[in-house]
Amino acid sequence: QDLSAALDADMPDLYESELVTVSGTLGALGGGGPGHVRATLVTEVLDSPNFVFRAGNADFDAAGLSTGCDVTVGPSPIWRFASTTQAQAYRFTDIVVESCPAPTVQSATAIDNTTVRVVFSSPLDPASVAVGDFAFTGGLSPSGVVVDRNEVTVTVSAMTDAVDYTVTATGVDDLLGTTIAGMNTAMFLGVGAGDPVPVFTEYVEGSSNNKALEITNVGTRALELSTCEIVLTSNTGTERRHTLAAGRLAVGAQHVLCHASSSAELLAVCDEVDSTPVNFNGDDALEIYCGGVLFDSIGQVGVDPGPEWGDDTVGTQNQTLRRTDCSIASGDTNSGDAFVPADEWTGSTLDDFTGLGNRNECAG
């Protein structure tokens, strides 16, 4: 049956496993489980968070779908997840695209001194994207483009650090052949010459969920944090990954990442709150990658040290550790070698947050 006009389509007990067709508009996108994407599906009579469209990533991309697309799904069996009714596309032919909004520029970010990442609202047709589709203020000249779904990496001439630039995109098409509407622009901050070097400079493994990491840029130019990923590897070998929130970390500046259930005192000095990368105990290893390059690590990946690395004086359990040597210009880039905290770290008491976000305590 066709559920396009069903007011009760969001009630899975009524339609679970039935063969249905439904037409609607895709709302906000989200994860639909491993290898899948889902979006709220707004029909002519129903706008409910419990009625969604779901498809495999490959089929979703091949159809060129994005928020705002009008689609018809099916005929296919309704998929149920808990209390959610999901109009499921089990194969590409279960999706009929009626129309989609024209692509727009959503954001632009300088990745390094000569690279800008431009993000669009929908996947683009690579054949439609050319160097001449991008124009920049401030004298920047584009010389190359690489398309990855809805992202275009543009190679440009050398930027000046901390200068505001604007990119204008014209002429590109999405996978459905719809050309970008008008002239779309986005502003971004330039990245200068030199290299950012993010290292861990403070580690808090406190009582309950008082857990935090301080990252300092000891390099020679600003760092775009969204290019960095914290990898937490438990003593069982389980990996958890977290991409840092977008923002610039200036040379010599700190970025503090905290567990969401930390105390109010600790949360007051945090720049970013996310439990995934800081849900560690004294026997879990940590790494920071930026642009796919390992810059620093705490612990030894693949090794269970017992309760902690180190001891009660300088150790990774129930202590705050600080890198108090200001002359440190790089981190531990071999996360598989032995980790001895006392080599570069100084131990402090449980729940000592006094140095977070400020390296005034370092010397040398």
Side-chain angles (χ1 to χ4, degrees), residues 276-295:
T276 300
V278 289
N279 192 26
F280 49 76
N281 295 307
D283 54 2
D284 300 325
L286 293 153
E287 300 166 288
I288 180 168
Y289 289 84
C290 297
V293 177
L294 175 62
F295 279 90

PDB file of all heavy atoms in Angstrom, residues 276-295:
ATOM      1  N   THR A 276      33.439  10.675  24.101  1.00  0.00           N
ATOM      2  CA  THR A 276      34.063   9.582  23.348  1.00  0.00           C
ATOM      3  C   THR A 276      35.580   9.539  23.472  1.00  0.00           C
ATOM      4  O   THR A 276      36.147   8.504  23.819  1.00  0.00           O
ATOM      5  CB  THR A 276      33.656   9.652  21.865  1.00  0.00           C
ATOM      6  OG1 THR A 276      32.238   9.530  21.776  1.00  0.00           O
ATOM      7  CG2 THR A 276      34.314   8.539  21.067  1.00  0.00           C
ATOM      8  N   PRO A 277      36.303  10.641  23.217  1.00  0.00           N
ATOM      9  CA  PRO A 277      37.761  10.540  23.219  1.00  0.00           C
ATOM     10  C   PRO A 277      38.405  10.626  24.586  1.00  0.00           C
ATOM     11  O   PRO A 277      39.606  10.378  24.716  1.00  0.00           O
ATOM     12  CB  PRO A 277      38.182  11.726  22.354  1.00  0.00           C
ATOM     13  CG  PRO A 277      37.117  12.737  22.612  1.00  0.00           C
ATOM     14  CD  PRO A 277      35.842  11.964  22.807  1.00  0.00           C
ATOM     15  N   VAL A 278      37.653  10.983  25.614  1.00  0.00           N
ATOM     16  CA  VAL A 278      38.254  11.146  26.944  1.00  0.00           C
ATOM     17  C   VAL A 278      37.645  10.188  27.968  1.00  0.00           C
ATOM     18  O   VAL A 278      37.761  10.408  29.173  1.00  0.00           O
ATOM     19  CB  VAL A 278      38.144  12.609  27.443  1.00  0.00           C
ATOM     20  CG1 VAL A 278      39.076  13.503  26.662  1.00  0.00           C
ATOM     21  CG2 VAL A 278      36.712  13.116  27.364  1.00  0.00           C
ATOM     22  N   ASN A 279      37.025   9.131  27.496  1.00  0.00           N
ATOM     23  CA  ASN A 279      36.460   8.136  28.408  1.00  0.00           C
ATOM     24  C   ASN A 279      37.529   7.080  28.715  1.00  0.00           C
ATOM     25  O   ASN A 279      37.351   5.889  28.508  1.00  0.00           O
ATOM     26  CB  ASN A 279      35.224   7.494  27.775  1.00  0.00           C
ATOM     27  CG  ASN A 279      34.427   6.670  28.766  1.00  0.00           C
ATOM     28  OD1 ASN A 279      34.473   6.922  29.970  1.00  0.00           O
ATOM     29  ND2 ASN A 279      33.721   5.675  28.276  1.00  0.00           N
ATOM     30  N   PHE A 280      38.676   7.553  29.218  1.00  0.00           N
ATOM     31  CA  PHE A 280      39.819   6.676  29.420  1.00  0.00           C
ATOM     32  C   PHE A 280      40.031   6.375  30.898  1.00  0.00           C
ATOM     33  O   PHE A 280      39.559   7.104  31.786  1.00  0.00           O
ATOM     34  CB  PHE A 280      41.099   7.287  28.837  1.00  0.00           C
ATOM     35  CG  PHE A 280      41.355   8.716  29.232  1.00  0.00           C
ATOM     36  CD1 PHE A 280      41.833   9.044  30.490  1.00  0.00           C
ATOM     37  CD2 PHE A 280      41.139   9.741  28.324  1.00  0.00           C
ATOM     38  CE1 PHE A 280      42.078  10.355  30.841  1.00  0.00           C
ATOM     39  CE2 PHE A 280      41.373  11.067  28.664  1.00  0.00           C
ATOM     40  CZ  PHE A 280      41.850  11.371  29.935  1.00  0.00           C
ATOM     41  N   ASN A 281      40.740   5.282  31.145  1.00  0.00           N
ATOM     42  CA  ASN A 281      41.267   4.960  32.466  1.00  0.00           C
ATOM     43  C   ASN A 281      42.784   4.949  32.355  1.00  0.00           C
ATOM     44  O   ASN A 281      43.347   5.202  31.286  1.00  0.00           O
ATOM     45  CB  ASN A 281      40.730   3.609  32.937  1.00  0.00           C
ATOM     46  CG  ASN A 281      39.222   3.641  33.140  1.00  0.00           C
ATOM     47  OD1 ASN A 281      38.704   4.490  33.843  1.00  0.00           O
ATOM     48  ND2 ASN A 281      38.520   2.729  32.485  1.00  0.00           N
ATOM     49  N   GLY A 282      43.460   4.624  33.424  1.00  0.00           N
ATOM     50  CA  GLY A 282      44.915   4.697  33.410  1.00  0.00           C
ATOM     51  C   GLY A 282      45.591   3.709  32.492  1.00  0.00           C
ATOM     52  O   GLY A 282      46.791   3.852  32.206  1.00  0.00           O
ATOM     53  N   ASP A 283      44.848   2.719  31.985  1.00  0.00           N
ATOM     54  CA  ASP A 283      45.472   1.695  31.144  1.00  0.00           C
ATOM     55  C   ASP A 283      45.058   1.795  29.680  1.00  0.00           C
ATOM     56  O   ASP A 283      45.195   0.841  28.917  1.00  0.00           O
ATOM     57  CB  ASP A 283      45.141   0.301  31.674  1.00  0.00           C
ATOM     58  CG  ASP A 283      43.638   0.070  31.831  1.00  0.00           C
ATOM     59  OD1 ASP A 283      42.858   0.983  31.497  1.00  0.00           O
ATOM     60  OD2 ASP A 283      43.255  -1.026  32.289  1.00  0.00           O
ATOM     61  N   ASP A 284      44.545   2.968  29.253  1.00  0.00           N
ATOM     62  CA  ASP A 284      44.128   3.179  27.866  1.00  0.00           C
ATOM     63  C   ASP A 284      45.100   4.120  27.165  1.00  0.00           C
ATOM     64  O   ASP A 284      45.590   5.083  27.748  1.00  0.00           O
ATOM     65  CB  ASP A 284      42.718   3.773  27.807  1.00  0.00           C
ATOM     66  CG  ASP A 284      41.680   2.862  28.463  1.00  0.00           C
ATOM     67  OD1 ASP A 284      41.848   1.636  28.348  1.00  0.00           O
ATOM     68  OD2 ASP A 284      40.739   3.388  29.076  1.00  0.00           O
ATOM     69  N   ALA A 285      45.374   3.849  25.886  1.00  0.00           N
ATOM     70  CA  ALA A 285      46.319   4.653  25.116  1.00  0.00           C
ATOM     71  C   ALA A 285      45.586   5.726  24.305  1.00  0.00           C
ATOM     72  O   ALA A 285      44.443   5.535  23.891  1.00  0.00           O
ATOM     73  CB  ALA A 285      47.129   3.765  24.173  1.00  0.00           C
ATOM     74  N   LEU A 286      46.258   6.849  24.077  1.00  0.00           N
ATOM     75  CA  LEU A 286      45.696   7.971  23.340  1.00  0.00           C
ATOM     76  C   LEU A 286      46.653   8.404  22.237  1.00  0.00           C
ATOM     77  O   LEU A 286      47.872   8.404  22.426  1.00  0.00           O
ATOM     78  CB  LEU A 286      45.445   9.156  24.279  1.00  0.00           C
ATOM     79  CG  LEU A 286      44.357   8.959  25.330  1.00  0.00           C
ATOM     80  CD1 LEU A 286      44.618   9.828  26.538  1.00  0.00           C
ATOM     81  CD2 LEU A 286      42.988   9.295  24.727  1.00  0.00           C
ATOM     82  N   GLU A 287      46.089   8.787  21.093  1.00  0.00           N
ATOM     83  CA  GLU A 287      46.880   9.309  19.980  1.00  0.00           C
ATOM     84  C   GLU A 287      46.161  10.520  19.401  1.00  0.00           C
ATOM     85  O   GLU A 287      44.941  10.614  19.454  1.00  0.00           O
ATOM     86  CB  GLU A 287      47.034   8.261  18.881  1.00  0.00           C
ATOM     87  CG  GLU A 287      47.717   6.968  19.291  1.00  0.00           C
ATOM     88  CD  GLU A 287      47.527   5.886  18.253  1.00  0.00           C
ATOM     89  OE1 GLU A 287      46.380   5.374  18.146  1.00  0.00           O
ATOM     90  OE2 GLU A 287      48.510   5.563  17.548  1.00  0.00           O
ATOM     91  N   ILE A 288      46.934  11.440  18.822  1.00  0.00           N
ATOM     92  CA  ILE A 288      46.346  12.545  18.067  1.00  0.00           C
ATOM     93  C   ILE A 288      46.928  12.544  16.671  1.00  0.00           C
ATOM     94  O   ILE A 288      48.144  12.571  16.473  1.00  0.00           O
ATOM     95  CB  ILE A 288      46.548  13.912  18.760  1.00  0.00           C
ATOM     96  CG1 ILE A 288      45.913  15.019  17.900  1.00  0.00           C
ATOM     97  CG2 ILE A 288      48.024  14.200  19.070  1.00  0.00           C
ATOM     98  CD1 ILE A 288      45.801  16.359  18.596  1.00  0.00           C
ATOM     99  N   TYR A 289      46.011  12.436  15.675  1.00  0.00           N
ATOM    100  CA  TYR A 289      46.366  12.473  14.258  1.00  0.00           C
ATOM    101  C   TYR A 289      45.789  13.754  13.662  1.00  0.00           C
ATOM    102  O   TYR A 289      44.647  14.125  13.940  1.00  0.00           O
ATOM    103  CB  TYR A 289      45.766  11.288  13.510  1.00  0.00           C
ATOM    104  CG  TYR A 289      46.375   9.943  13.818  1.00  0.00           C
ATOM    105  CD1 TYR A 289      45.949   9.199  14.922  1.00  0.00           C
ATOM    106  CD2 TYR A 289      47.356   9.399  13.000  1.00  0.00           C
ATOM    107  CE1 TYR A 289      46.505   7.955  15.204  1.00  0.00           C
ATOM    108  CE2 TYR A 289      47.916   8.155  13.265  1.00  0.00           C
ATOM    109  CZ  TYR A 289      47.485   7.444  14.366  1.00  0.00           C
ATOM    110  OH  TYR A 289      48.033   6.212  14.628  1.00  0.00           O
ATOM    111  N   CYS A 290      46.563  14.425  12.813  1.00  0.00           N
ATOM    112  CA  CYS A 290      46.063  15.570  12.057  1.00  0.00           C
ATOM    113  C   CYS A 290      46.458  15.369  10.605  1.00  0.00           C
ATOM    114  O   CYS A 290      47.646  15.140  10.312  1.00  0.00           O
ATOM    115  CB  CYS A 290      46.639  16.877  12.596  1.00  0.00           C
ATOM    116  SG  CYS A 290      46.167  17.234  14.311  1.00  0.00           S
ATOM    117  N   GLY A 291      45.466  15.427   9.728  1.00  0.00           N
ATOM    118  CA  GLY A 291      45.742  15.146   8.330  1.00  0.00           C
ATOM    119  C   GLY A 291      46.265  13.750   8.111  1.00  0.00           C
ATOM    120  O   GLY A 291      47.011  13.481   7.155  1.00  0.00           O
ATOM    121  N   GLY A 292      45.877  12.818   8.982  1.00  0.00           N
ATOM    122  CA  GLY A 292      46.306  11.434   8.872  1.00  0.00           C
ATOM    123  C   GLY A 292      47.697  11.161   9.410  1.00  0.00           C
ATOM    124  O   GLY A 292      48.169  10.020   9.360  1.00  0.00           O
ATOM    125  N   VAL A 293      48.367  12.177   9.974  1.00  0.00           N
ATOM    126  CA  VAL A 293      49.729  12.035  10.506  1.00  0.00           C
ATOM    127  C   VAL A 293      49.677  11.980  12.026  1.00  0.00           C
ATOM    128  O   VAL A 293      49.015  12.808  12.665  1.00  0.00           O
ATOM    129  CB  VAL A 293      50.617  13.209  10.051  1.00  0.00           C
ATOM    130  CG1 VAL A 293      52.011  13.102  10.674  1.00  0.00           C
ATOM    131  CG2 VAL A 293      50.705  13.249   8.534  1.00  0.00           C
ATOM    132  N   LEU A 294      50.368  11.009  12.632  1.00  0.00           N
ATOM    133  CA  LEU A 294      50.434  10.891  14.083  1.00  0.00           C
ATOM    134  C   LEU A 294      51.401  11.935  14.635  1.00  0.00           C
ATOM    135  O   LEU A 294      52.579  11.963  14.269  1.00  0.00           O
ATOM    136  CB  LEU A 294      50.890   9.486  14.482  1.00  0.00           C
ATOM    137  CG  LEU A 294      51.116   9.243  15.980  1.00  0.00           C
ATOM    138  CD1 LEU A 294      49.829   9.445  16.764  1.00  0.00           C
ATOM    139  CD2 LEU A 294      51.687   7.852  16.218  1.00  0.00           C
ATOM    140  N   PHE A 295      50.907  12.792  15.541  1.00  0.00           N
ATOM    141  CA  PHE A 295      51.737  13.839  16.134  1.00  0.00           C
ATOM    142  C   PHE A 295      52.138  13.543  17.573  1.00  0.00           C
ATOM    143  O   PHE A 295      53.176  14.026  18.031  1.00  0.00           O
ATOM    144  CB  PHE A 295      51.004  15.187  16.080  1.00  0.00           C
ATOM    145  CG  PHE A 295      51.105  15.872  14.744  1.00  0.00           C
ATOM    146  CD1 PHE A 295      50.163  15.642  13.759  1.00  0.00           C
ATOM    147  CD2 PHE A 295      52.147  16.737  14.462  1.00  0.00           C
ATOM    148  CE1 PHE A 295      50.251  16.257  12.519  1.00  0.00           C
ATOM    149  CE2 PHE A 295      52.252  17.371  13.235  1.00  0.00           C
ATOM    150  CZ  PHE A 295      51.307  17.118  12.260  1.00  0.00           C
TER     151      PHE A 295
END
